[in-house]
């Protein structure tokens, strides 16, 4: 039963399933997203934590088998941990990042990088800049707090990009730090 659910989730999040549609983040930018969202306390990157946990929770909520927000039990947490381990074994880093980016909460009612890129900057995933992708990755860490506080976004963005430096090309890190986060225009969002 768990294998069937994992296989269905893996298929839904895999790039193979997304070939007919544009990817949520430009191909090749997955390491940038992973390095910002998933670093551990030593700055090492491992796609095992927030991305996979969020994919599992969103899948359960979508099919009506998960608890309501804020009502998780220890049993729920153990179930998510088991499913997360299983997903990590069958999905590549790129598939994890793409699946997560399609479903990430990015504030102002925007779910997924494509919706946020269109709402915030009027661009598509294929035309997104590394700065925009890094900004959305930062927003995903705390969308409610960050979308209404540009100073907090800037400080967190610089910290996260600095932490990600061990996993990214030096020229990319320098460019991201020099330019800072992409400004989110006031009054933008996916729904009111």
């Amino acid at each position: 039963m768990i294998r069937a659910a994992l296989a269905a989730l893996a298929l839904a999040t895999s790039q193979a399933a997304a070939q007919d549609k544009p990817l949520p983040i430009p191909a090749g930018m997955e390491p940038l997203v992973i390095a910002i969202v998933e670093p551990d306390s030593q700055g090492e990157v491992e796609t095992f934590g927030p991305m996979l946990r969020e994919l599992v929770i969103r899948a359960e909520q979508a099919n009506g088998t998960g608890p309501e927000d804020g009502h998780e039990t220890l049993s729920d947490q153990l179930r998510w941990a088991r499913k997360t381990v299983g997903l990590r074994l069958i999905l590549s880093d790129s598939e994890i990042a793409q699946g997560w980016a399609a479903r990430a909460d990015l504030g102002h009612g925007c779910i997924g990088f494509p919706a946020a890129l269109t709402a915030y900057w009027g661009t598509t995933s294929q035309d997104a800049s590394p700065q925009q992708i890094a900004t959305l990755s930062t927003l995903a860490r705390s969308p409610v707090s960050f979308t209404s506080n540009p100073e907090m976004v800037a400080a967190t963005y610089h910290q996260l990009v600095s932490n990600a430096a061990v996993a990214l090309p030096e020229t990319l890190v320098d460019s991201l730090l020099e330019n800072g986060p992409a400004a989110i225009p006031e009054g933008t969002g996916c729904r009111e």
Side-chain angles (χ1 to χ4, degrees), residues 15-99:
Q15 288 178 332
Q19 285 179 353
D20 297 344
K21 306 182 256 188
L23 296 173
I25 51 178
M29 281 201 209
E30 298 94 347
L32 171 61
V33 174
I34 292 167
I36 289 175
V37 175
E38 291 286 346
D40 67 15
S41 60
Q42 288 80 35
E44 297 294 321
V45 175
E46 71 171 62
T47 54
F48 190 79
M51 283 183 177
L52 283 171
R53 185 174 189 277
E54 192 171 322
L55 281 174
V56 170
I57 292 170
R58 285 191 178 275
E60 286 190 1
Q61 288 173 340
N63 70 21
T65 60
E68 294 179 27
D69 284 336
H71 291 60
E72 312 86 46
T73 64
L74 179 58
S75 174
D76 294 325
Q77 293 175 6
L78 292 172
R79 183 178 70 250
W80 293 332
R82 280 192 312 272
K83 288 182 178 182
T84 298
V85 169
L87 279 179
R88 182 64 186 110
L89 295 174
I90 60 176
L91 294 177
S92 70
D93 287 354
S94 179
E95 290 168 330
I96 292 167
Q98 290 291 351

